[in-house]
Amino acid sequence: MQTQTFHITPSNIDQVQIDQAAALIKAGELVSFPTETVYGLGGNALSSASAEKIYAAKGRPSDNPLILHVANVDEVANYAAEVPDEVYALAKAFWPGPLTVVLKKKDIIPDESTGGLDTVAIRVPDHPIALALIQAAGCPLAAPSANLSGKPSPTTAEHVLEDLNGRIAGVIDGGPTYIGLESTVLDLAHGAPAILRHGGISAEQLKTHLPNLKTSNENAAHSPGTRYRHYSPNANVSLISDFASAELRTWLEEKQAVYIGPQELGNPHIQLSGAEAYAQNIFALLRQLDQRGVQHIAIESIDESGLGRAVMDRLRRAAGLS
Ligand code: AMP
Ligand code: MG
């Protein structure tokens, strides 16, 4: 299959190309598109055949459910059997945006889209191309990250093509994504609200709306995605913290490791500081260093508050620590 590339500027949506991409989705094909988090691999979430194509293209285990992307909160009631009041309050505060809610599903959603679960994950993405595509396709888009399963998530169309060229019908190149990390997944279907995956909306932000929020892993059984190997480059990744600079320099030399972090340390090194910069760059850097054949990457840990919590979650997985 030849993968068609569309080039669309987010600030100047080309409706002709959006309609062409949407036609592929209506015909049951897959199209990757940018969201504010990472690039998604979109297919009709109401079609079991499209969902199966998504799993096949990514090499994703079929029990790892897909997130439905819709254009606004009013659509949620079409796909969720129960919509608690919290959903409307959260939508007001965070949608469009990187927050996914898990709710009891309606039968209209095929089991293939939800990995056989009786719940469905839904969000409204904050990206003009994503919203235009959902509207033109006329259906909710199931859209996991558009990478081969296990690889770092894609934050540019080039990353998508690295993994999926020839395996999907199209990709919309809309430039780099804004946040660089996936959405926060919030379980509202099993008692007290619980974070299943940390992401673009922080636990602190959610707590102001959900005082009884659970942020630990108590609900992990409801989050199949967290069981799988994720975000792994070919290189060995070490997470480092609390090293004195001199010691660290020697260690980096011994390991011939590339350092990523706030210090100007080691040769070569990539200077990065703050959770936002880590989030925006980390997946792209892991891919880049793999392409250069780097064997060992040493990444300095950051503070786990706010977006830092989601960043550290991804780094621990990249390092094989969880
Ligand atoms: P991805 O879209 O590839 O970033 O991954 C989607 C994430 O959402 C995975 O961690 C899934 O386990 C999680 N997810 C999707 N649907 C559900 C659901 N119905 N219940 C719990 N977690 C879900
Ligand atoms: Mg993913």
Side-chain angles (χ1 to χ4, degrees):
M1 170 187 300
Q2 183 121 22
T3 303
Q4 188 179 350
T5 304
F6 303 92
H7 293 275
I8 301 181
T9 311
S11 58
N12 183 20
I13 296 288
D14 173 357
Q15 194 60 38
V16 173
Q17 287 194 84
I18 290 283
D19 289 342
Q20 287 169 352
L24 291 173
I25 287 176
K26 287 184 197 169
E29 298 297 337
L30 307 182
V31 176
S32 173
F33 60 93
T35 75
E36 81 281 32
T37 59
V38 301
Y39 271 71
L41 178 55
N44 180 354
L46 304 181
S47 152
S48 48
S50 293
E52 277 167 357
K53 275 191 191 176
I54 291 178
Y55 288 103
K58 281 180 59 82
R60 182 178 176 110
S62 62
D63 65 348
N64 187 0
L66 308 174
I67 294 174
L68 258 64
H69 292 67
V70 299
N72 61 67
V73 66
D74 300 331
E75 289 185 46
V76 173
N78 299 335
Y79 311 117
E82 295 155 31
V83 188
D85 291 343
E86 284 119 313
V87 170
Y88 295 99
L90 291 167
K92 203 160 178 219
F94 302 116
W95 279 356
L99 175 68
T100 296
V101 293
V102 172
L103 303 168
K104 293 283 180 215
K105 84 174 185 75
K106 275 193 169 162
D107 290 342
I108 185 174
I109 307 294
D111 287 342
E112 286 77 4
S113 291
T114 63
L117 297 178
D118 64 353
T119 54
V120 60
I122 306 182
R123 82 176 189 101
V124 178
D126 189 12
H127 196 294
I129 292 176
L131 292 171
L133 186 65
I134 294 165
Q135 253 144 5
C139 61
L141 298 184
S145 51
N147 51 288
L148 285 176
S149 198
K151 292 283 166 204
S153 301
T155 56
T156 66
E158 288 76 33
H159 299 159
V160 175
L161 289 169
E162 247 170 60
D163 281 13
L164 300 177
N165 195 12
R167 299 169 74 93
I168 60 176
V171 54
I172 301 178
D173 184 348
T177 59
Y178 311 143
I179 297 173
L181 287 187
E182 297 84 349
S183 61
T184 302
V185 179
L186 177 69
D187 188 358
L188 294 175
H190 302 94
I195 293 183
L196 299 181
R197 174 178 73 183
H198 290 271
I201 298 292
S202 68
E204 291 89 334
Q205 283 174 291
L206 288 177
K207 268 208 171 120
T208 64
H209 298 267
L210 303 168
N212 57 343
L213 178 70
K214 294 194 271 182
T215 59
S216 65
N217 282 346
E218 289 163 63
N219 283 42
H222 299 299
S223 181
T226 55
R227 284 203 292 272
Y228 296 104
R229 199 178 129 90
H230 250 98
Y231 317 113
S232 312
N234 300 322
N236 256 315
V237 176
S238 301
L239 255 185
I240 54 179
S241 54
D242 298 331
F243 252 112
S245 298
E247 233 179 287
L248 180 55
R249 192 165 285 149
T250 315
W251 185 83
L252 290 170
E253 262 169 38
E254 270 169 21
K255 294 270 181 193
Q256 295 196 310
V258 174
Y259 167 87
I260 301 178
Q263 309 186 59
E264 266 193 77
L265 252 189
N267 188 19
H269 67 263
I270 294 159
Q271 218 177 347
L272 208 57
S273 68
E276 275 76 20
Y278 266 68
Q280 275 162 9
N281 293 289
I282 204 69
F283 289 145
L285 287 172
L286 294 178
R287 281 176 179 268
Q288 232 174 63
L289 294 174
D290 262 356
Q291 283 193 334
R292 276 171 35 194
V294 167
Q295 300 288 311
H296 205 134
I297 306 170
I299 310 177
E300 187 139 344
S301 300
I302 60 169
D303 183 47
E304 298 225 20
S305 59
L307 188 62
R309 176 103 187 234
V311 168
M312 286 301 293
D313 165 77
R314 305 309 187 271
L315 294 182
R316 275 192 287 268
R317 287 168 186 278
L321 298 176
S322 61

